[in-house]
């Protein structure tokens, strides 16, 4: 079966307009023949029987997790007996509140049933009340419970944006925004923030320059992962003006709300007035209660169209996890003393880490006011190589440290090449050992970019 | 700001090539003006300031759950004091195995951490062994744990198919396949199966007729939701040949594996030889252990490209629920006596429901061999109207029954207009009352299509 017979079965228009390199005719799969880089005619197609179907372009284009790509090197180092301090992921060591764990243990569930697709009504009601305590005007009908903050982002992107739409996101940003944008065929337009200003919001004029007819939203993370930066009211008001002017969606990922230091005030996008229909708040209990594995988040908006659209995506996946919701509802009773202790602990960790880093020769790290991350600039040639080298080729008294190269948090090629993200999610003793490892490593790393006798002044 | 100034800011090419009806210029949103149905020139655009950004086309196009759309009528009926027998959803009343509930209650988790994105290694290992007990050649590296069967479907579709690709699915099919296809921009090509044959696989020649250059897969549900049909080995072998011939993916949703009756043999796509790279198995513990709310499923394939692509989607959403996995792993120890009792119970329910239905005048219901659903043809004008009428306008001794109109399970317009899906998920006493309600309702329903004196022979 070739030539004329096959030709009958293939739609010629499809053959030459299709972006795909293959066509199927009568059960046999053809690769398009190219002659000098141009497609050949149909008669010159080469007939190739493939042994397996191809996965999607999207699956190929999806970014692998930049945080997890070093894991094989860490596994190997562990097998060799090295002790690794994990400052690379946002998995806190803090215990989940007793009240949450107990609710799950003591639940008298006999049948683990689906809940409402938007989450149980009792949890939604209590969650709305939780936001009201932060003076955020959230009512029960504005709340949809999601399977982790991840699903809130995924559903928000699919609900708000068409394939090819552009969303402006200050970089460095949480790396998984790339994955969800890829899944939703959304184009991220990064706008650079800089370590020198502590990753403050770029000037609004810079946002305005990036607006095109395809721009349909802005997304922020506040307090920021990976920067730890806490946006001021002035910055948020500036965002509000541009959102209003260009009629954009403003997606705000505020999962680190409870992690603000130095008595600085947390300002939510829900505190902004006059842009109710533009705002989509993305939330999660993962960090708040150190309950990452519960997979409970929330999508919140006062825009009725957004909530109706989002619910349809939620209905397709039936419901968020039942035990996670039982725990999350109970966790709302967590006493303030828990948060006070956590804030005190993270403040001490942050102070120690930032001070330690800035004491190291050639290192600069701005002091963040929120979350539990910081980005440090190191005197190194390449953070990806350095982080791999730490695991593969370095140890300090049998110990080493695992960091996240900041390159994975930037979209702009080359940005963050000498920066790393550090999650201060270990206790002070472990952090002290980790900082010792890092300091020792920087002294002997082959790709060190400053001579050993240089002073630190110039870099800082 | 209009005319020339705005013109500078809009890419003209984008304006006229864009499928969207609006463009943004310098912060103001324009609706494209049409003159006699044709787009006007840019200068003739009408300037409209919108008060809120628009949601995506996809969010608009997403189907609302056909099973859940009757819920408001049910809520109203309940408020009016009616007792409703819910035969409309696949939420079993069967208790979750003790071993599963106990594992969750007795877990000594202090921090609810993320697990591996593909699920905990211990659970994956045990799950592979579970499949091996069914003579399915599944190894640990072929298994990825998902957040419910829903996520397995969603990730499989995004991994295997490009936007615009076609997938052939025998109809009637599980309605949420529509939602996931919409989210993945995948085109479902339904192939009709008929109540007269008990919803057997349509002849392979019918599949072959539907193959186009865009066809990239076939999807089945076995045992079937909503039909209860259990595919024979011959049917699966026939599917294998066409899958092989056209190099297609074969997605098989086998979440009702444990629900096969009359000692009929369950044949999995994993029992087919020679098409390892084409097969993607979609699974869930929701029905197996009556644990719908645990949100634990699995995506299984021996195709390494599929597994690598799927893992990237899984990494973006971090991990499946921790407590669900703890429970699911323990549930693998559920004693055979549990399944024996469940099979006995569902067999009795099925026999009762099918017998009751076929005794009713003008009703026809084939006897399914699997799952816990059946589709019945009723002597009614319109199943959507009938099901709503049951809730709104009918009661039998203060009771009524909630059914799912079969129209929601067909893609072909008009198909299933006089059919309903019945989930026999209630105990025999409740089922008896429900059947009495249905019988009484059919006698007085205004849209009844046979005269009261007609015999049933002709319809059957």
């Amino acid at each position: 079966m070739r030539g004329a017979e096959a030709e009958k079965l293939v739609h010629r228009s499809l053959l030459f307009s299709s972006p795909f390199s293959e066509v199927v005719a009568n059960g046999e799969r053809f690769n398009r023949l190219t002659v000098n880089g141009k497609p050949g005619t149909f008669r010159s197609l080469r007939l190739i029987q493939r042994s397996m179907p191809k996965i999607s372009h999207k699956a190929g284009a999806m970014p692998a997790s930049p945080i997890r790509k070093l894991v094989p090197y860490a596994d190997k180092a562990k097998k060799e007996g090295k002790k690794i301090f994990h400052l690379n992921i946002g998995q806190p060591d803090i215990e989940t509140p007793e009240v949450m764990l107990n609710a799950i243990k003591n639940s008298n569930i006999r049948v683990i049933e689906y809940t409402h697709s938007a989450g149980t009504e009792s949890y939604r009601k209590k969650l709305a009340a939780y936001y009201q305590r932060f003076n955020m005007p959230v009512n029960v009908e504005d709340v949809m419970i999601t399977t982790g903050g991840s699903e809130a982002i995924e559903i928000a992107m699919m609900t708000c944006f068409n394939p090819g739409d552009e969303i402006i996101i200050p970089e460095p940003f949480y790396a998984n925004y790339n994955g969800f944008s890829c899944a939703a065929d959304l184009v991220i337009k990064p706008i650079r923030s800089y370590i020198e200003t502590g990753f403050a919001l770029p000037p609004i004029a810079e946002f305005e320059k990036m607006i095109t007819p395809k721009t349909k939203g802005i997304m922020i993370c506040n307090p920021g992962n990976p920067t730890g930066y806490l946006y001021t009211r002035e910055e948020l008001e500036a965002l509000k003006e541009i959102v209003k002017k260009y009629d954009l969606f403003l997606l705000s990922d505020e999962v680190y709300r409870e992690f603000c230091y130095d008595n600085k005030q947390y300002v939510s996008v829900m505190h902004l007035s006059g842009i109710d229909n533009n705002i989509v708040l993305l939330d999660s209990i993962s960090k708040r209660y150190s309950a990452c594995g519960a997979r409970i988040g929330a999508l919140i908006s006062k825009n009725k169209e957004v909530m109706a659209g989002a619910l349809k995506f939620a209905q397709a996946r039936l419901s968020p996890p039942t035990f996670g919701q039982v725990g999350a509802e109970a966790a709302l009773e967590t006493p303030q003393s828990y948060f006070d202790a956590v804030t005190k602990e993270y403040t001490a960790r942050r102070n120690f880490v930032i001070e330690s880093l800035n004491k190291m020769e050639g290192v600069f790290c701005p002091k963040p006011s929120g979350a539990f991350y910081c980005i440090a600039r190191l005197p190194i040639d390449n953070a990806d190589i350095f982080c791999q080298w730490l695991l593969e080729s370095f140890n300090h008294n049998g110990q080493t440290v695992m960091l996240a190269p900041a390159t994975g948090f930037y979209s702009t090629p080359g940005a963050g090449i000498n920066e790393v993200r550090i999650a201060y999610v270990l206790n002070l003793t472990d952090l002290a050992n980790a900082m010792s490892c890092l300091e020792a490593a920087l002294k002997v790393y082959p790709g060190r970019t400053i001579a050993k006798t240089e002073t630190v002044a110039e870099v800082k």
Side-chain angles (χ1 to χ4, degrees), chain A:
Chain A
M1 194 289 303
R2 4 213 118 183
E5 195 192 338
E7 193 165 3
K8 267 185 274 172
L9 285 143
V10 176
H11 301 278
R12 294 184 67 106
S13 61
L14 202 144
L15 177 61
F16 292 111
S17 67
S18 160
F20 310 118
S21 61
E22 300 184 339
V23 289
V24 174
N26 202 19
E28 294 181 88
R29 198 169 274 271
F30 297 82
N31 275 12
R32 206 188 293 182
L33 186 72
T34 54
V35 182
N36 299 330
K38 291 176 188 170
T41 66
F42 179 70
R43 287 191 183 278
S44 67
L45 280 176
R46 200 150 45 98
L47 197 140
I48 292 177
Q49 185 97 42
R50 276 177 54 85
S51 63
M52 57 189 277
K54 264 197 171 173
I55 62 168
S56 70
H57 302 303
K58 202 177 271 184
M62 273 292 285
S65 165
I67 305 174
R68 299 194 174 207
K69 72 186 174 187
L70 290 169
V71 170
Y73 301 103
D75 289 344
K76 192 160 170 282
K78 272 178 215 164
K79 274 186 190 150
E80 290 163 3
K82 269 187 222 175
K83 160 91 181 155
I84 299 175
F85 296 105
H86 284 274
L87 304 185
N88 58 306
I89 52 166
Q91 170 58 63
D93 62 339
I94 302 286
E95 288 201 356
T96 309
E98 282 286 343
V99 65
M100 178 171 185
L101 294 169
N102 287 341
I104 293 166
K105 289 187 177 190
N106 301 331
S107 78
N108 56 2
I109 288 175
R110 304 304 306 159
V111 184
I112 309 175
E113 296 189 351
Y114 293 124
T115 69
H116 190 289
S117 294
T120 65
E121 199 179 352
S122 59
Y123 178 41
R124 275 182 284 151
K125 276 184 182 166
K126 288 185 193 167
L127 192 60
Y130 158 86
Y131 290 114
Q132 288 160 13
R133 292 202 292 276
F134 285 88
N135 294 316
M136 295 157 72
V138 176
N139 299 317
V140 63
E141 66 269 22
D142 310 328
V143 176
M144 191 179 92
I145 308 305
T146 57
T147 305
S150 307
E151 194 186 61
I153 298 169
E154 188 190 0
I155 290 181
M157 284 187 170
M158 284 200 297
T159 302
C160 296
F161 304 104
N162 288 312
D165 278 354
E166 295 174 359
I167 184 169
I168 300 172
I169 311 184
E171 68 173 355
F173 56 79
Y174 178 50
N176 282 328
Y177 295 165
N178 284 315
F180 295 119
S181 298
C182 181
D185 278 323
L186 178 61
V187 180
I188 292 181
K189 292 288 176 177
I191 184 163
R192 186 83 183 265
S193 70
Y194 293 91
I195 196 167
E196 289 80 2
T197 61
F199 301 103
L201 192 74
I204 285 298
E206 295 299 314
F207 280 86
E208 200 138 15
K209 279 184 201 160
M210 302 193 72
I211 304 268
T212 78
K214 299 288 262 177
T215 308
K216 209 172 158 198
I218 293 174
M219 183 163 181
I220 59 169
C221 182
N222 181 37
N225 173 8
T227 64
Y229 188 80
L230 184 65
Y231 289 122
T232 62
R233 175 167 283 277
E234 291 66 35
E235 287 172 315
L236 288 170
E237 291 289 345
L239 274 176
K240 169 180 143 179
E241 290 311 315
I242 194 166
V243 159
K244 210 169 163 179
K245 185 170 175 190
Y246 291 92
D247 202 17
L248 306 173
F249 281 113
L250 177 56
L251 276 57
S252 186
D253 173 347
E254 304 184 1
V255 309
Y256 295 96
R257 181 179 306 112
E258 274 79 6
F259 302 87
C260 297
Y261 311 118
D262 311 325
N263 295 315
K264 288 220 174 133
Q265 212 199 337
Y266 156 72
V267 185
S268 168
V269 289
M270 296 300 290
H271 293 138
L272 301 173
S273 61
I275 54 165
D276 276 4
N277 283 321
N278 304 71
I279 288 173
V280 182
L281 177 65
L282 308 165
D283 210 348
S284 165
I285 67 158
S286 291
K287 315 296 171 174
R288 189 182 309 157
Y289 307 119
S290 198
C292 299
R295 311 312 299 131
I296 296 297
L299 184 158
I300 291 152
S301 180
K302 301 192 85 70
N303 182 321
K304 302 283 180 208
E305 286 183 14
V306 166
M307 294 311 288
L311 183 62
K312 291 194 281 179
F313 290 103
Q315 283 181 340
R317 64 75 166 120
L318 303 170
S319 80
T322 297
F323 281 108
Q325 289 181 81
V326 167
E329 184 173 335
L332 287 167
E333 306 301 324
T334 303
Q336 185 56 38
S337 57
Y338 175 90
F339 296 107
D340 292 344
V342 169
T343 302
K344 195 177 160 196
E345 175 67 21
Y346 276 117
T347 302
R349 292 177 181 187
R350 179 200 61 164
N351 292 349
F352 173 75
V353 166
I354 304 298
E355 199 175 321
S356 303
L357 286 167
N358 284 315
K359 270 185 196 158
M360 294 178 204
E361 192 183 6
V363 174
F364 171 62
C365 185
K367 191 175 193 177
S369 301
F372 39 66
Y373 306 101
C374 59
I375 288 193
R377 185 171 61 198
L378 308 180
I380 54 171
D381 56 344
N382 182 306
D384 290 272
I385 296 172
F386 176 66
C387 292
Q388 187 176 328
W389 175 87
L390 280 171
L391 298 167
E392 270 194 313
S393 311
F394 172 80
N395 85 79
H396 178 63
N397 304 327
Q399 301 179 331
T400 192
V401 63
M402 190 165 175
L403 309 173
T407 46
F409 303 101
Y410 287 90
S411 268
T412 303
I417 191 79
N418 59 350
E419 298 174 8
V420 294
R421 185 192 74 172
I422 291 171
Y424 42 95
V425 290
L426 303 181
N427 64 49
L428 282 167
T429 311
D430 285 350
L431 283 177
N433 284 319
M435 289 297 114
S436 297
C437 281
L438 179 59
E439 186 165 23
L442 287 172
K443 285 182 181 156
V444 298
Y445 173 58
R448 178 182 166 94
T449 52
I450 53 169
K452 284 181 189 173
T453 49
E454 268 182 39
T455 67
V456 75
E458 158 208 6
V459 178
K460 279 198 194 163

